Amino acid sequence: MSDATYFQLAVDAAKQGTDTWTNPQVGAVIVKDDHLLAVGYHHRFGHRHAEIDALSQLDDTSQAAGATMYVTLEPCSHYGKTPPCAKRLAEVKIAKVVIGQLDPNPLVSGKGVAILQQHGIEVQIRHETGGLNAAYNFFYRQNRPWVTVKYAMSLDGKINAAGEQRTHLTETPALKDAQAVRRQHQAILVGEHTLSIDDPQLTVREGQPMVFPPVRIAVVHDVNDFQNSRHLFDDQAPTWIFSQTEASQQLPENVQVIVNSDWTPTAIVSYLAKKGIQSLLVEGGSAMQAAFIAAGLADEVIVYLAPILIGGTGLPAVVGSALSQQEHFSSPTVTQLGNDIKIQSRRQ
């Protein structure tokens, strides 16, 4: 098989790691004399890395001597939750390492390659990610989380009918897809109006339970206006309340109140960056989404279009703060989901 084929095996393996939290998805393949010896991947945050997982598949690590490893991301060079992979590869006398990309994390970037080369290991860098770790790469290159704005709307651009009750727009296939989108993000955010009207759970309820579910975030004026009986105050996931006032009541252990006099999108993103959150999903409401877009903090937009007309004084999508100038996004991907349509586009 070719280098490209072996590398694709590593990419496919990496995608099996679905609960790596702030760690990247990584896959590794060991090949010797054109024979595939082992395939490994990073299964879960805090568990062994892909390189070590691949070595564990061998009957004896002596088989690694003189072999080539294909790994999607530069082997780590530091002691964290696990020892440095680069040093371990040198210990087992791997002869060559083909790396998909350098790790943008400054703790590693280039240092893993240096260790390999210092031990006489040939290194080849493909400069190819295989579509992995977009948010991880963005976070370390831009020093802030990747922000996705997501909403469902009617054919006439409304996200809710007039009044103080939630309007259900999309059907089961789109709802399931929206759950998959949640699973891809480390935090989910709503504003005060959405919290009041929808009482959202902001949890991932499709697929396997997550060891590290997305942090639920609500931006409110006064946390004391909201009762503990709301879904956001249950124990299903960590919850951060961005409030302008301190809490005067006892809150559940999983709920943290962070106080700031002006929680602008820039302030929110800055706080999340300090906390290491690499991806944020802004789910509502209309004014909150408009504020993120106006601040130039919408890196991706996902719209679920339902074949419904609301009319009248229904709430329009993304209404409020205005852009100073038009922003251009990539040609959208359009997916049919039952009777609904998913439209997805990223900033150019």
Side-chain angles (χ1 to χ4, degrees):
M1 292 192 289
S2 65
D3 276 5
T5 302
Y6 287 128
F7 181 73
Q8 187 59 49
L9 287 175
V11 170
D12 293 341
K15 292 176 180 177
Q16 297 180 59
T18 56
D19 220 345
T20 59
W21 187 226
T22 54
N23 281 357
Q25 291 180 306
V26 183
V29 168
I30 301 175
V31 177
K32 189 173 183 180
D33 299 327
D34 206 26
H35 283 43
L36 178 64
L37 298 184
V39 178
Y41 66 96
H42 180 42
H43 290 237
R44 182 180 295 173
F45 180 82
H47 288 210
R48 61 191 179 197
H49 289 182
E51 300 92 326
I52 309 306
D53 189 54
L55 289 172
S56 74
Q57 311 303 316
L58 300 174
D59 293 331
D60 191 302
T61 53
S62 64
Q63 292 176 282
T68 296
M69 175 173 282
Y70 296 81
V71 60
T72 57
L73 186 69
E74 178 182 10
C76 66
S77 56
H78 64 293
Y79 285 89
K81 292 185 178 295
T82 60
C85 294
K87 290 186 177 180
R88 182 58 180 152
L89 296 184
E91 289 171 359
V92 299
K93 297 180 171 52
I94 285 279
K96 179 180 179 180
V97 180
V98 180
I99 298 170
Q101 66 163 108
L102 293 178
D103 193 331
N105 185 339
L107 282 174
V108 181
S109 190
K111 300 180 182 70
V113 167
I115 290 173
L116 296 174
Q117 291 175 332
Q118 286 165 10
H119 287 84
I121 298 173
E122 181 184 350
V123 176
Q124 177 186 338
I125 303 172
R126 293 178 61 88
H127 301 289
E128 180 181 351
T129 66
L132 297 169
N133 306 311
Y136 176 86
N137 288 322
F138 183 90
F139 178 83
Y140 283 109
R141 290 166 180 163
Q142 303 297 326
N143 299 310
R144 70 166 178 85
W146 174 273
V147 178
T148 301
V149 171
K150 177 189 78 68
Y151 55 90
M153 71 177 186
S154 63
L155 291 174
D156 53 345
K158 307 293 177 61
I159 65 171
N160 213 76
E164 296 297 306
Q165 289 189 348
R166 181 183 178 186
T167 301
H168 293 276
L169 296 173
T170 54
E171 298 176 356
T172 300
L175 293 173
K176 287 186 175 181
D177 189 84
Q179 289 284 310
V181 171
R182 282 184 177 180
R183 185 178 286 273
Q184 296 165 4
H185 291 78
Q186 293 170 4
I188 306 170
L189 179 145
V190 296
E192 188 169 278
H193 186 73
T194 299
L195 185 61
S196 300
I197 302 302
D198 294 356
D199 189 17
Q201 297 180 59
L202 303 186
T203 53
V204 179
R205 299 183 294 280
E206 291 285 337
Q208 292 293 321
M210 299 183 70
V211 178
F212 304 98
V215 176
R216 304 179 295 186
I217 300 173
V219 184
V220 303
H221 287 89
D222 188 348
V223 64
N224 300 297
D225 292 340
F226 298 89
Q227 302 300 314
N228 290 9
S229 60
R230 291 183 173 273
H231 283 135
L232 216 61
F233 290 84
D234 63 25
D235 61 356
Q236 298 302 302
T239 300
W240 296 351
I241 307 295
F242 290 177
S243 174
Q244 295 180 9
T245 58
E246 298 278 0
S248 61
Q249 56 184 325
Q250 185 74 24
L251 297 175
E253 290 185 1
N254 66 302
V255 178
Q256 179 181 356
V257 178
I258 304 98
V259 178
N260 189 328
S261 60
D262 188 15
W263 278 115
T264 64
T266 300
I268 292 168
V269 165
S270 177
Y271 180 85
L272 296 182
K274 291 176 183 177
K275 291 296 181 178
I277 297 294
Q278 297 166 8
S279 55
L280 172 66
L281 180 63
V282 181
E283 286 206 353
S286 184
M288 181 64 69
Q289 292 167 339
F292 269 86
I293 291 172
L297 292 172
D299 304 299
E300 181 176 23
V301 176
I302 296 176
V303 179
Y304 295 96
L305 183 63
I308 296 171
L309 290 173
I310 291 178
T313 57
L315 179 63
V318 195
V319 64
S321 304
L323 282 166
S324 58
Q325 60 182 15
Q326 288 184 344
E327 285 199 28
H328 295 279
F329 280 64
S330 62
S331 179
T333 300
V334 179
T335 307
Q336 188 79 39
L337 298 170
N339 291 321
D340 304 313
I341 292 174
K342 178 185 180 182
I343 303 169
Q344 187 171 6
S345 184
R346 294 183 172 185
R347 186 197 304 275
Q348 288 183 332

